[in-house]
Amino acid sequence: MTLLVWRPEFPILDTCTYLVSHSLGAMPARARRYLNQFADEWDYRGVRAWHEGWWEIGRETGNLLAPIIGAPRDTITMHQNATVAQSIVASCFDFKGARRKIVLQDLDFPTNHYLFEGFRRFGAEIVIVPSDDSIRGRIDRLVDAIDEQTVLVPISLVLFRSACVQDVRPIIEKAHRVGARVVLDAYQGAGAVPLDVTALGVDFAVGGSVKWLCGGPGAGYLYVRPDLINSLRPSVVGWAGHTAPFGFETGAIRYADRIERFQSGTPNVPALYSARAGYEIVAEIGVPAIRARSLQLTRRIMDAAQAHGWKLNTPTSDHERGGSVVMDVPDGQRVADELIRRQVIVDYRPGAGVRMAPHFYNTEDEVDRAMATMSEIVSTDNSQLATNNFGVS
Ligand SMILES: Cc1ncc(COP(=O)(O)O)c(C=O)c1O
């Protein structure tokens, strides 16, 4: 069955050429229905809604996501975003003893740097492993940097700048050999690239739902390996993480002996209603089918880019390429702005280029139209291009 049968479920596809799912996946029509359902429940059921599903919605939403990333049931909590999820992980550790090193890559998404740099004040030592270019990380250097002093290794499954899929297995293997924990930042992979957190044996995984999962903002997730859940004591914690939240005890927390110990406070109910729609669709299609289609369409983009002689800042081999293609053309920001003005929705990242990301709902025609439009723009004198204020940079 062609995945294009899903197109009517994504109304925005009728209005533009939507090739930006690495940034914001298209909204499924059923997300509106779920959000209406939320509004009706709030409106008509009021406070009773908490006991009619709202209180458990974090766990239930996590269970919808679980098969997409290869997690068992009841191992995921939902948070405002991936940064918050990752800060809860970091709060499980202390950085005062000999084991206080956090090993990062220079190609990480900046949020990881900002967050973990902040832990220096608690004693953390931050090591940033350099890459040789902005396309691939140096996994070998990262493996070498992990030692008995390492407490945490946050690592991206797919690099946001180049869409390079990283082989994280040697990192997990080395970290576990020396007693360190690995946090997989799955944001640019989940929903586009097959991922099995159980088979990887990774300790934690974090991400959010706005991109390939088509789940909208406000639905960050945190997976914790089941055998670790009850041994960890996050200090970023709240009443929803208490063993008996409705006992309203004060003083130090008595942790819930279940995934909710990572929950902090009240769940973000409307965001989790909207996320449900994307998760259901991605789970129903299945990531392997999405991946197969993505590889076809990204190959088509790369072939056209290479025919124009544009530099690709994305790995060309299928096993290394995630869901987007990054093309370095002169004056990339203005090219992206002009594409958007002509209803071809893409984005631009400094130091990377114009990023184009087809998803399961895109057609060959859309890709061809986007590339033809881009070629026209690139060969037009810059001074003739309009600047627009579309805020996606
Ligand atoms: C790989 C990666 N990690 C983390 C983030 C930041 O996530 P959040 O805004 O949910 O904290 C992003 C956002 O684009 C990302 O691409």
Side-chain angles (χ1 to χ4, degrees):
M1 184 187 74
T2 165
L3 300 187
L4 299 180
V5 296
W6 287 98
R7 281 178 68 83
E9 177 68 24
F10 295 90
I12 201 169
L13 302 178
D14 291 337
T15 68
C16 61
T17 302
Y18 199 76
L19 289 166
V20 73
S21 300
H22 59 270
S23 178
L24 184 68
M27 182 179 116
R30 74 175 79 165
R32 187 182 295 280
R33 293 199 293 278
Y34 282 138
L35 287 167
N36 281 337
Q37 183 186 333
F38 162 73
D40 286 344
E41 289 168 4
W42 186 15
D43 195 4
Y44 302 128
R45 299 302 296 156
V47 72
R48 290 167 291 187
W50 285 116
H51 303 292
E52 294 168 354
W54 283 12
W55 186 251
E56 290 76 29
I57 196 171
R59 174 183 288 258
E60 291 312 317
T61 309
N63 284 340
L64 280 177
L65 174 65
I68 299 173
I69 64 167
R73 288 178 65 79
D74 303 334
T75 57
I76 295 175
T77 49
M78 303 302 298
H79 303 277
Q80 182 193 339
N81 54 45
T83 310
V84 168
Q86 201 150 222
S87 64
I88 293 169
V89 172
S91 83
C92 295
F93 299 93
D94 79 54
F95 305 91
K96 294 192 193 78
R99 191 184 281 282
R100 59 194 188 85
K101 198 186 279 185
I102 302 175
V103 182
L104 299 162
Q105 283 181 295
D106 59 351
L107 298 180
D108 291 324
F109 192 80
T111 211
N112 292 4
H113 287 203
Y114 306 155
L115 174 70
F116 290 109
E117 284 285 341
F119 278 77
R120 283 186 194 273
R121 79 171 66 166
F122 303 117
E125 181 192 337
I126 308 299
V127 174
I128 298 186
V129 175
S131 54
D132 292 334
D133 57 35
S134 59
I135 299 179
R136 287 179 187 78
R138 285 291 302 261
I139 298 295
D140 55 335
R141 280 186 200 143
L142 191 64
V143 167
D144 288 345
I146 301 170
D147 58 16
E148 276 74 15
Q149 277 74 55
T150 305
V151 55
L152 267 183
V153 186
I155 174 85
S156 294
L157 176 63
V158 177
L159 296 173
F160 84 103
R161 217 180 275 281
S162 64
C164 179
V165 180
Q166 305 208 93
D167 181 6
V168 296
R169 285 167 306 181
I171 294 161
I172 297 169
E173 195 276 321
K174 174 75 184 281
H176 287 175
R177 189 144 43 86
V178 299
R181 299 280 177 215
V182 177
V183 196
L184 185 67
D185 177 348
Y187 211 149
Q188 279 294 350
V193 172
L195 167 61
D196 188 330
V197 291
T198 304
L200 282 174
V202 73
D203 306 286
F204 308 95
V206 299
S209 305
V210 305
K211 305 174 193 292
W212 310 104
L213 293 168
C214 300
Y221 54 86
L222 165 59
Y223 158 80
V224 184
R225 212 177 70 199
D227 58 301
L228 293 178
I229 291 174
N230 290 341
S231 65
L232 293 165
R233 302 164 58 81
S235 53
V236 173
V237 74
W239 70 294
H242 194 279
T243 187
F246 294 99
F248 300 107
E249 290 174 22
T250 51
I253 188 165
R254 288 193 296 128
Y255 288 102
D257 57 359
R258 50 189 184 275
I259 191 66
E260 275 78 7
R261 69 168 55 196
F262 300 93
Q263 175 60 56
S264 68
T266 306
N268 191 359
V269 181
L272 301 187
Y273 268 79
S274 88
R276 181 182 293 179
Y279 292 0
E280 284 174 354
I281 293 169
V282 169
E284 188 177 332
I285 300 172
V287 178
I290 293 174
R291 174 69 170 158
R293 177 70 178 153
S294 161
L295 287 174
Q296 282 172 0
L297 292 177
T298 51
R299 170 70 53 197
R300 198 174 180 95
I301 294 171
M302 290 193 311
D303 286 348
Q306 283 171 323
H308 290 298
W310 300 334
K311 180 170 181 281
L312 289 173
N313 277 340
T314 299
T316 50
S317 63
D318 284 2
H319 76 280
E320 263 193 319
R321 187 171 75 257
S324 15
V325 177
V326 185
M327 293 165 280
D328 190 7
V329 290
D331 218 4
Q333 178 72 68
R334 297 244 291 166
V335 170
D337 288 347
E338 181 63 15
L339 277 165
I340 294 162
R341 201 183 66 79
R342 298 187 194 186
Q343 302 301 319
V344 176
I345 313 299
V346 297
D347 70 9
Y348 170 81
R349 287 290 178 272
V354 176
R355 298 193 305 174
M356 207 177 267
H359 209 357
F360 58 87
Y361 37 64
N362 288 115
T363 64
E364 276 82 359
D365 278 356
E366 287 174 317
V367 163
D368 294 348
R369 193 177 324 132
M371 295 308 282
T373 310
M374 186 157 157
S375 156
E376 226 176 86
I377 295 168
V378 170
S379 52
T380 306
D381 177 5
N382 280 337
S383 60
Q384 294 172 31
L385 296 182
T387 304
N388 76 42
N389 296 321
F390 199 97
V392 290
S393 58

